[in-house]
Amino acid sequence: MQASLQSAQSQLDGYKDKLSKLGAGSGDVDMPDFKANPNKTKSFWRRLELGTNFQTTRNNYFFPTVSDFGLSVGYKLSDRSIIGIGASYKLGWGNGIQHIAFSSQGAGLRSFVEVKIKGSFSVSGGLELNHTAPFRTYQQLHDWADWTKSGLIGMTKTVSMKSRVFKKTKVQLLWDFLSYQQVPRTQAVVFRIGYNF
């Protein structure tokens, strides 16, 4: 029995030596390049990020000048990535300075993903459904034939402003790779300015 204990003790000493060599002589073994996700300790509500964005498209034969006002709710997966959903309202301005006329030109439903790549630059993408026909009542939005799909991918730059309200200003340049399938065809390049709170 004493021989078995001595054999077990020598094996245990061998394992301790190997473990101390891995930890470079210290008692603690560190994982290389490991960073804990601080969002894991936050509650669900503290991981939500509210945002708004704005874009304007010029008029063409089919559409008047339209400003798109969007609201979004994002969920932070980590400090580098966020996913979310949103909605938008399209306000029509008319066809030129001589023909200004406010109108409801549509609405939109959005989903998005944003992943930081370096510094203040991020890769953004998302899918959208846009109601492109003018409407006067909400019942007109139920006609799915007037909804078109958009697939967006591009870059986002976060600009830090000194203002408390506009501290997280985002400038996005996106490419709508589904615009070529739409009839009538919409613009393929989308420029948006947004603010997160």
Side-chain angles (χ1 to χ4, degrees), residues 139-168:
Q139 284 76 23
Q140 291 175 299
L141 295 175
H142 293 155
D143 185 9
W144 288 104
D146 292 330
W147 291 81
T148 59
K149 297 175 187 172
S150 293
L152 301 170
I153 191 163
M155 295 294 293
T156 299
K157 164 87 171 138
T158 304
V159 181
S160 295
M161 301 271 198
K162 291 184 180 178
S163 167
R164 264 179 102 182
V165 178
F166 302 119
K167 189 173 183 181
K168 290 185 180 178

Side-chain angles (χ1 to χ4, degrees), residues 128-144:
E128 297 183 359
L129 285 174
N130 293 301
H131 187 274
T132 55
F135 68 97
R136 288 197 171 89
T137 64
Y138 290 109
Q139 284 76 23
Q140 291 175 299
L141 295 175
H142 293 155
D143 185 9
W144 288 104

Side-chain angles (χ1 to χ4, degrees), residues 52-59 63-71 87-95 100-108 110 130-131 135 187 190-193:
T52 181
N53 60 43
F54 170 80
Q55 80 183 49
T56 297
T57 56
R58 67 178 187 268
N59 69 327
F63 302 111
T65 300
V66 173
S67 291
D68 210 338
F69 301 96
L71 294 172
S88 65
Y89 173 73
K90 299 176 187 312
L91 175 67
W93 297 96
N95 293 313
I100 294 177
F102 297 109
S103 60
S104 295
Q105 290 295 318
R110 301 175 174 177
N130 293 301
H131 187 274
F135 68 97
Q187 67 182 30
V190 176
F191 179 75
R192 288 182 181 161
I193 296 176

Side-chain angles (χ1 to χ4, degrees), residues 10-128:
S10 64
Q11 273 188 330
L12 186 61
D13 289 341
Y15 291 137
K16 282 183 183 178
D17 287 342
K18 287 181 182 179
L19 189 60
S20 66
K21 287 177 186 175
L22 283 174
S26 67
D28 297 329
V29 178
D30 295 330
M31 301 270 300
D33 298 330
F34 175 75
K35 292 180 184 173
N37 183 359
N39 288 305
K40 296 236 180 200
T41 58
K42 291 182 181 176
S43 69
F44 174 80
W45 299 108
R46 304 216 5 94
R47 291 173 84 166
L48 293 181
E49 190 173 279
L50 299 176
T52 181
N53 60 43
F54 170 80
Q55 80 183 49
T56 297
T57 56
R58 67 178 187 268
N59 69 327
N60 60 28
Y61 181 76
F62 298 103
F63 302 111
T65 300
V66 173
S67 291
D68 210 338
F69 301 96
L71 294 172
S72 65
V73 177
Y75 181 75
K76 289 178 106 177
L77 297 173
S78 68
D79 285 339
R80 301 184 63 82
S81 59
I82 186 168
I83 61 171
I85 58 171
S88 65
Y89 173 73
K90 299 176 187 312
L91 175 67
W93 297 96
N95 293 313
I97 242 12
Q98 289 87 14
H99 303 97
I100 294 177
F102 297 109
S103 60
S104 295
Q105 290 295 318
L109 299 172
R110 301 175 174 177
S111 65
F112 68 91
V113 174
E114 190 173 303
V115 179
K116 282 187 183 178
I117 49 174
K118 187 165 186 176
S120 60
F121 287 95
S122 304
V123 173
S124 303
L127 294 173
E128 297 183 359

